[in-house]
Amino acid sequence: MSRVPLLAANWKMFKGPASAGEFLDAFLPTVPEDGPEIVICPSFASLTAVIEGCAESRVEVAAQNMHFDEEGPFTGEVSPSMLVEIGADGVVLGHSERRALFGETDEDLARKVPRALEAGLTPLLCVGETESERRASDTEAVLSRQVLSDLAEVHDSDLARVVIAYEPIWAIGTGLTATPEQAGEAASFIRDLLRSRDPGQAEAVRILYGGSVKPANATELLGLDDVDGALVGGASLEPGDFAAIVAAAS
Ligand code: PGA
């Protein structure tokens, strides 16, 4: 099954609207007419500027988080329909920084992923193990728990609309990258988990690798059988670096 590769730029808490605009001025002219799907994930403050900036391009825009309810007394939160109303295409869910620093749980994600799909947003669900979990040979147990519980309430017929990013936590922002063997094994393991849900849909799910992806290692990682793209943090802040990673997937 041929899956369209997807490259996502996770800007985290970098780039306000002005610097986001400067990025787009440099990056958009490099976007190939067709080829991989490209998604930029700015902070909430820069979402509208990036959505407007990308309106004439085929670049999509995703938020970095979302609440599962439509409205309510949840100070500091943003709902699925609010993201749709401003024109977002997707939302990153379950990033390890949100899990570790802001207490996002698998129970939250089991509610958020289906709500995103119902709203028409593409969920980019992040999963991955810590360094100590890998050392204890718990990687597969962690991935099983996260993938199966976070997708528990997603209908089988919607599975193919979910994008999963395998992000080993020890590789995020550290300069350490999973070896192609480690990334490939984890991505294949995740696809097997999806097959246990629905064999047909599992083949269509895009599984990304994330964790210190840069121009120098992108070609090798993106060439792996079960890896269909990358979620890029640090290297996505530089238009030239992100363009080079997009080119590696083209
Ligand atoms: P990094 O971040 O590329 O800076 O390691 C990846 C991520 O957190 O999504």
Side-chain angles (χ1 to χ4, degrees):
M1 136 93 53
S2 71
R3 295 176 288 267
V4 178
L6 189 156
L7 281 321
N10 177 15
W11 285 353
K12 310 191 180 189
M13 200 173 75
F14 295 95
K15 293 193 190 297
S19 95
E22 286 164 20
F23 177 97
L24 295 180
D25 287 345
F27 175 71
L28 291 180
T30 73
V31 171
E33 237 167 69
D34 40 39
E37 200 172 323
I38 301 167
V39 184
I40 296 180
C41 315
S43 70
F44 286 128
S46 300
L47 264 179
T48 300
V50 175
I51 289 166
E52 285 171 1
C54 292
E56 302 299 317
S57 78
R58 62 180 195 83
V59 173
E60 294 162 44
V61 184
Q64 296 176 11
N65 183 31
M66 176 198 90
H67 196 275
F68 42 75
D69 275 327
E70 271 313 315
E71 57 183 12
F74 305 117
T75 302
E77 292 289 329
V78 169
S79 78
S81 59
M82 290 173 188
L83 294 177
V84 170
E85 188 176 340
I86 62 166
D89 303 292
V91 59
V92 177
L93 296 173
H95 190 279
S96 61
E97 287 152 14
R98 296 224 55 88
R99 292 180 191 256
L101 304 174
F102 302 101
E104 189 169 39
T105 63
D106 287 319
E107 290 71 36
D108 295 329
L109 291 159
R111 298 174 77 178
K112 289 185 182 193
V113 179
R115 290 297 94 73
L117 289 164
E118 279 161 28
L121 297 163
T122 297
L124 291 99
L125 173 67
C126 303
V127 296
E129 80 287 0
T130 63
E131 190 176 9
S132 61
E133 288 165 341
R134 175 162 283 271
R135 272 206 242 100
S137 302
D138 281 342
T139 300
E140 293 192 349
V142 170
L143 294 178
S144 300
R145 190 191 68 233
Q146 293 179 334
V147 170
L148 297 178
S149 47
D150 299 353
L151 299 181
E153 303 300 325
V154 173
H155 298 296
D156 286 348
S157 59
D158 282 334
L159 271 183
R161 295 173 52 210
V162 178
V163 175
I164 297 184
Y166 167 62
E167 299 209 304
I169 294 169
W170 46 272
I172 294 177
T174 57
L176 295 173
T177 313
T179 62
E181 195 187 2
Q182 289 169 326
E185 268 174 19
S188 300
F189 180 74
I190 291 170
R191 197 168 311 279
D192 280 340
L193 290 172
L194 298 169
R195 284 190 187 108
S196 74
R197 285 283 312 267
D198 185 305
Q201 296 275 322
E203 302 310 316
V205 174
R206 266 91 56 87
I207 300 176
L208 317 182
Y209 168 77
S212 298
V213 175
K214 36 190 180 273
N217 60 23
T219 306
E220 196 171 27
L221 290 162
L222 294 170
L224 297 166
D225 276 353
D226 273 311
V227 173
D228 308 307
L231 181 53
V232 187
S236 75
L237 296 171
E238 286 301 324
D241 284 351
F242 192 52
I245 293 168
V246 170
S250 303

